[in-house]
Amino acid sequence: MSLPSSDLVPPMQAADYQQKIKQVFAEVGKVVVGQQYMVGRLLIGLCTGGHILLEGVPGLAKTLTISTLSKVLHLHFQRVQFTPDLLPSDLVGTMIYNQNQSVFEVKKGPIFANLVLADEVNRSPAKVQSALLEAMQEKQVTIGETTYPLDLPFLVLATQNPVEQEGTYPLPEAQVDRFMMKVHVDYLKKTDELEVMRRMANMSYVGEVNPILTKEDIFGIRSMINQVQISETLEKYIIELVFATRKPAEYDLAEFAQYVQFGVSPRASIALHRAAKAVAFFDDRDYVLPEDIKDVAGDVLNHRILLNYEAEADGIRTQDLIEAILRKVPIS
């Protein structure tokens, strides 16, 4: 499905879309308490066509947030629980022999949806990850000798638990790079957790939400985000941030140079550009500020920087490098 032409979109429609986005936050908030940051990142991915990886300890409502968001959208949603014995055919589908007609028929898997929740994505081996990789990058799936395009919009929202190591498989760097953002989900504030406890203590509580956004709305929002202005100065600032992860010594970050094995890929530049424009649009602006870029830099860059073993031994995190880059790299 192609994006609607900007010439056909009435000027006042941007305000309508921005109001609908605020309604989405309110609807999800009926069920999920205190995770507005996570909801915002999921919406950025949805409205810019970027896959999102959520990482956090169990019980922080990662799965609940994604499933609730799917109910607020008029989109086809599928949930796949990744396990060590999951096969690629369980995800993308397979060929089944029809005895009555003596032919092989295609049985499509759960990947054929608009929103796919890959729950505990790091629990499946490399064969399954490679099958998911084609869908994420090419928006298509190959079954047998035939390639099937996926319905748009197509978005993979994945979760992983960083605590457990038994029965888990580290995601390949090539796949991790295809996630627009990796969002670290933290514990709730005391007041929020108190509200969660009170809600769930009521065993008759049922959280119901109303659908807000349609498929057409999502493409309309993407068209509006496309029209958000970003200056050439800020575009060059994004490039400087990206290059600072590759050659820290050239940006007065010599203390980190020995720890960086690989900097971020060009996908980081694209993701920063799109995400910053989405943040500006969500904030009711049609232009990007430096703060918008800095706001999303951590989530866009953190999973793309590969540090060496010396960094792990010395307790250096990718977040430390990103914070240093944001302090040192000027906007010229």
Side-chain angles (χ1 to χ4, degrees):
M1 182 175 181
S2 59
L3 293 176
S5 171
S6 58
D7 297 334
L8 303 178
V9 181
M12 292 301 294
Q13 206 167 10
D16 297 333
Y17 286 140
Q18 287 161 340
Q19 183 59 36
K20 282 194 171 187
I21 290 170
K22 291 178 175 60
Q23 291 175 10
V24 170
F25 277 97
E27 286 297 315
V28 176
K30 292 179 181 179
V31 177
V32 181
V33 179
Q35 294 289 12
Q36 289 85 358
Y37 180 84
M38 176 171 39
V39 175
R41 290 314 195 234
L42 292 173
L43 282 174
I44 288 175
L46 179 69
C47 295
T48 58
H51 310 292
I52 305 295
L53 176 62
L54 302 179
E55 182 177 86
V57 298
L60 297 182
K62 300 184 294 297
T63 303
L64 176 64
T65 302
I66 295 172
S67 61
T68 303
L69 181 62
S70 71
K71 296 175 184 176
V72 182
L73 310 171
H74 286 281
L75 297 176
H76 182 203
F77 171 74
Q78 289 280 14
R79 177 181 183 271
V80 182
Q81 179 65 51
F82 279 58
T83 57
D85 60 347
L86 192 73
L87 298 174
S89 58
D90 297 328
L91 181 66
V92 302
T94 187
M95 305 286 289
I96 294 180
Y97 186 70
N98 187 327
Q99 290 185 342
N100 295 329
Q101 300 180 5
S102 300
V103 294
F104 282 95
E105 296 179 344
V106 173
K107 180 176 175 58
K108 294 182 177 179
I111 198 73
F112 287 89
N114 298 118
L115 285 181
V116 177
L117 167 55
D119 215 354
E120 295 189 292
V121 68
N122 58 333
R123 286 196 174 276
S124 288
K127 288 191 295 184
V128 179
Q129 303 298 349
S130 63
L132 182 62
L133 191 64
E134 180 188 9
M136 290 174 63
Q137 180 63 26
E138 308 297 338
K139 306 294 191 298
Q140 65 183 28
V141 166
T142 302
I143 303 175
E145 297 180 353
T146 308
T147 299
Y148 299 90
L150 297 171
D151 187 30
L152 300 180
F154 173 73
L155 197 67
V156 173
L157 306 175
T159 69
Q160 69 176 12
N161 176 2
V163 178
E164 293 180 282
Q165 301 299 324
E166 288 292 326
T168 62
Y169 301 82
L171 297 181
E173 280 73 17
Q175 181 176 0
V176 172
D177 190 39
R178 282 165 172 79
F179 284 101
M180 181 183 191
M181 290 189 284
K182 179 181 177 182
V183 183
H184 292 277
V185 185
D186 207 351
Y187 288 108
L188 297 172
K189 298 177 182 177
K190 291 180 181 179
T191 52
D192 291 333
E193 189 147 348
L194 180 63
E195 175 62 22
V196 170
M197 182 181 67
R198 287 171 174 169
R199 282 191 191 183
M200 302 314 295
N202 179 5
M203 289 180 282
S204 61
Y205 169 77
V206 177
E208 296 183 355
V209 294
N210 300 312
I212 302 294
L213 290 179
T214 64
K215 185 182 295 188
E216 290 71 23
D217 288 332
I218 293 169
F219 283 112
I221 292 171
R222 288 188 184 182
S223 176
M224 286 288 140
I225 291 175
N226 259 342
Q227 298 175 42
V228 172
Q229 299 297 312
I230 179 169
S231 67
E232 185 179 353
T233 300
L234 291 184
E235 288 182 329
K236 290 180 178 178
Y237 176 58
I238 290 175
I239 298 302
E240 294 297 326
L241 291 177
V242 167
F243 270 73
T245 68
R246 302 170 186 170
K247 300 178 180 179
E250 296 181 8
Y251 293 84
D252 196 22
L253 294 163
E255 67 272 23
F256 288 97
Q258 61 177 320
Y259 299 123
V260 178
Q261 188 170 357
F262 293 105
V264 301
S265 74
R267 289 193 184 95
S269 309
I270 300 169
L272 275 174
H273 196 279
R274 289 182 178 179
K277 291 170 75 171
V279 170
F281 183 77
F282 290 178
D283 203 27
D284 301 339
R285 283 181 282 108
D286 61 356
Y287 56 90
V288 174
L289 295 174
E291 288 74 16
D292 300 327
I293 299 171
K294 294 178 180 180
D295 180 40
V296 296
D299 293 331
V300 170
L301 301 178
N302 74 84
H303 58 298
R304 292 183 164 96
I305 299 173
L306 189 61
L307 302 181
N308 55 28
Y309 290 110
E310 291 182 54
E312 185 176 353
D314 293 345
I316 301 297
R317 307 170 303 160
T318 55
Q319 192 61 36
D320 299 327
L321 173 58
I322 295 169
E323 291 172 358
I325 288 173
L326 293 175
R327 287 195 306 266
K328 292 281 189 178
V329 176
I331 302 175
S332 58

